[in-house]
Amino acid sequence: NVYKELLKVINSFTGHNGLYIQSWINCQSQDQVLNWHRHEGFLYHGYICIDPKDTVTEFEDYVIENEVGLIYIGSGSPRHRVVNNSNYKGKRITLGFDLIEPSNNFVKSRSFIPIV
């Protein structure tokens, strides 16, 4: 069901057909959250908040308040990081993903699968 909902969001946001996706799970303790990075070379990047704890995702120009069930999707280019708003125990869990067009060379060298 999560995958089906994600496909709806992707299709609504991108308007593209035939994109490829790779996905992973971020499972981090408070001192392991992601520092500044970007997803260059990818058409879109996004994530789904499973258990985001009390965090925000900070981009250079805006901030996303993370909450359970939130699906974010945007360009892969902007730098972003995760910021803890308060102390927490356990793991912060999100499902990250990148999207590319079939003509992108990463399709052959990474773990992308076609979106169907």
Side-chain angles (χ1 to χ4, degrees):
N1 288 336
V2 171
Y3 181 69
K4 288 178 184 179
E5 189 64 29
L6 179 59
L7 292 184
K8 289 179 193 174
V9 171
I10 289 170
N11 289 330
S12 174
F13 181 83
T14 68
H16 286 273
N17 289 323
L19 293 176
Y20 279 63
I21 188 171
Q22 73 174 355
S23 184
W24 61 92
I25 294 175
N26 294 309
C27 184
Q28 302 139 337
S29 61
Q30 182 177 323
D31 62 343
Q32 296 174 318
V33 295
L34 299 167
N35 205 348
W36 288 109
H37 67 286
R38 66 181 63 181
H39 298 257
E40 261 189 279
F42 303 111
L43 189 60
Y44 301 105
H45 165 69
Y47 61 92
I48 300 172
C49 292
I50 307 299
D51 185 4
K53 304 299 185 193
D54 185 15
T55 64
V56 297
T57 301
E58 181 180 40
F59 291 80
E60 292 177 315
D61 297 331
Y62 57 96
V63 173
I64 305 277
E65 298 285 335
N66 294 321
E67 58 186 54
V68 173
L70 174 117
I71 299 176
Y72 165 82
I73 185 170
S75 170
S77 299
R79 285 179 2 119
H80 57 283
R81 67 180 178 165
V82 175
V83 177
N84 298 316
N85 289 328
S86 63
N87 293 331
Y88 60 84
K89 293 182 179 179
K91 301 289 186 178
R92 174 187 182 272
I93 302 171
T94 60
L95 188 130
F97 60 92
D98 292 323
L99 302 169
I100 59 175
E101 295 174 312
S103 59
N104 188 308
N105 287 333
F106 283 137
V107 167
K108 297 174 185 165
S109 64
R110 305 267 175 121
S111 57
F112 283 90
I113 60 171
I115 294 176
V116 294

